[in-house]
Amino acid sequence: MLYLHIEPDQQLWLDAFASEAPDLKVVTAEDNPDPDKVRWVAAWNPSEGLFGRFPNLEAVFALGAGVDAFVRRDDLSEDVPLIRLLDAGMAEQMVEYILWATLTVQRDFDRYQQLQQQQKWQEHTARLKKQMRLGILGLGALGQEVATQLAAYGYPVSGWKRSPLELEGVRVFTGDQGLDDLVTQSDVLISLLPNTPQTRGLLNGELLKKLPQGAALVNVARGVQVVDEDLLQLLDSGHLRFAALDVFHEEPLPPEHPFWTHPAIRVTPHMAAATLPEPAVEQVVANLKKLEAGEEPAGLVKAESGY
Ligand code: GLV
């Protein structure tokens, strides 16, 4: 039996399971299931102690791409396979979000918004796609797809990854020097990195000041990667022009946080890429079959890297 823990839209997820795998018994907290009979858990935002209730867990499915809330937990042993979603409709939405942020700067929509408030008719010099260098931090399943699509659309795209990779149309950088090299030549820096001890605070003043004058930051990964005060300082000094932030140290973003009212910041409520029940459930069910057949599931999280 599979235990489902997700909010909101629980019914949509139950419906997706019923249509994708009619023979699979899926239960939720309301069913008050016998914990001994639960073999798998599929969850998002798992509550504290959730996994500890099930002594016979064979695998956990994270219903999202980032598994930071699933690793290093007292109630979940590293011996239980943890499987995350790969893309599942998220790449397309990420591309749209990044395009919106990129176009805001490229086509000066941020400036026109201000000019409208001042009732000023003033045109800015046009900038072409080829003049907007995009730098993507994190070339995992999502990052690779996003990078390829943005490159195909006509932007010069570079990406940064821990280990080397060949990716058509995308310049790939690795290592500390690679990170510096990518940042110094990115007009828009985009984070799609997983949340690990190495990426926490990575987007700090020291790194962000290496961006070219007037660059923009897009964070669609995790808020803890950004040092908020450093970002504010670089925006206030004018070194950076714009930031589109979808994720924050604390979510919901507290009402008193300066990001809410900063003229150069757009705040969105962790909506850049929603997990879509249908493709997500398809992946879970395909992976259940792989597990039953003794094969490695797609999206298996490696304990040593934590993603
Ligand atoms: C959302 O933040 C995800 O990691 O899927």
Side-chain angles (χ1 to χ4, degrees):
M1 141 189 324
L2 180 140
Y3 182 92
L4 175 69
H5 172 94
I6 191 148
E7 270 174 19
D9 300 334
Q10 179 181 276
Q11 192 55 47
L12 287 182
W13 288 85
L14 286 170
D15 293 347
F17 271 109
S19 103
E20 185 66 25
D23 297 334
L24 178 68
K25 180 138 180 71
V26 181
V27 293
T28 65
E30 289 137 47
D31 300 310
N32 206 13
D34 176 356
D36 287 346
K37 297 215 171 104
V38 171
R39 296 173 65 191
W40 311 285
V41 171
W44 190 241
N45 287 334
S47 43
E48 226 182 287
L50 172 72
F51 303 112
R53 284 159 44 199
F54 308 113
N56 301 319
L57 257 192
E58 290 172 33
V60 168
F61 296 91
L63 299 176
V67 288
D68 42 337
F70 292 75
V71 295
R72 290 176 276 276
R73 286 176 68 111
D74 294 340
D75 62 342
L76 185 57
S77 150
E78 279 185 3
D79 299 334
V80 176
L82 170 63
I83 300 146
R84 66 191 186 95
L85 292 180
L86 299 175
D87 191 342
M90 282 183 260
E92 185 182 334
Q93 299 172 69
M94 286 294 187
V95 166
E96 290 166 352
Y97 189 97
I98 295 161
L99 273 178
W100 158 71
T102 301
L103 290 169
T104 300
V105 175
Q106 179 192 340
R107 301 301 313 272
D108 295 300
F109 294 130
D110 53 344
R111 292 178 173 151
Y112 292 122
Q113 190 179 346
Q114 282 173 2
L115 286 166
Q116 180 173 351
Q117 276 156 12
Q118 298 157 23
Q119 299 181 338
K120 269 200 192 147
W121 185 277
Q122 183 194 321
E123 203 177 323
H124 284 281
T125 315
R127 212 166 158 193
L128 300 176
K129 280 189 280 202
K130 65 178 184 205
Q131 295 166 292
M132 294 295 290
R133 298 160 299 174
L134 310 187
I136 299 182
L137 303 177
L139 290 176
L142 216 48
Q144 287 181 35
E145 186 57 32
V146 166
T148 327
Q149 286 193 29
L150 290 166
Y153 188 58
Y155 287 107
V157 178
S158 300
W160 183 69
K161 194 181 185 334
R162 234 168 25 127
S163 43
L165 171 85
E166 290 275 332
L167 197 59
E168 198 180 330
V170 178
R171 201 164 154 208
V172 179
F173 293 86
T174 52
D176 291 345
Q177 186 58 48
L179 178 62
D180 272 12
D181 293 345
L182 173 128
V183 170
T184 50
Q185 45 136 342
S186 290
D187 301 305
V188 183
L189 184 69
I190 299 137
S191 179
L192 275 163
L193 287 166
N195 180 11
T196 67
Q198 292 76 38
T199 62
R200 232 158 278 160
L202 183 74
L203 302 172
N204 55 32
E206 202 187 326
L207 185 80
L208 295 177
K209 71 174 187 249
K210 293 178 184 158
L211 282 163
Q213 172 76 32
L217 175 70
V218 179
N219 189 8
V220 283
R222 286 293 182 267
V224 290
Q225 291 166 9
V226 174
V227 178
D228 292 359
E229 302 72 33
D230 293 5
L231 174 61
L232 285 166
Q233 207 190 353
L234 285 162
L235 287 164
D236 288 340
S237 73
H239 183 72
L240 296 186
R241 163 166 164 190
F242 178 76
L245 306 174
D246 188 50
V247 286
F248 306 91
H249 281 254
E250 194 185 334
E251 295 178 10
L253 183 64
E256 66 282 4
H257 199 289
F259 284 173
W260 278 115
T261 50
H262 198 285
I265 294 179
R266 297 291 177 277
V267 168
T268 52
H270 203 140
M271 50 56 80
T275 313
L276 308 176
E278 275 174 30
V281 165
E282 232 171 79
Q283 277 189 24
V284 172
V285 172
N287 275 331
L288 275 172
K289 286 186 187 141
K290 287 197 171 176
L291 285 172
E292 296 287 81
E295 292 167 25
E296 181 170 314
L300 181 68
V301 173
K302 306 271 181 288
E304 64 284 5
S305 61
Y307 59 89

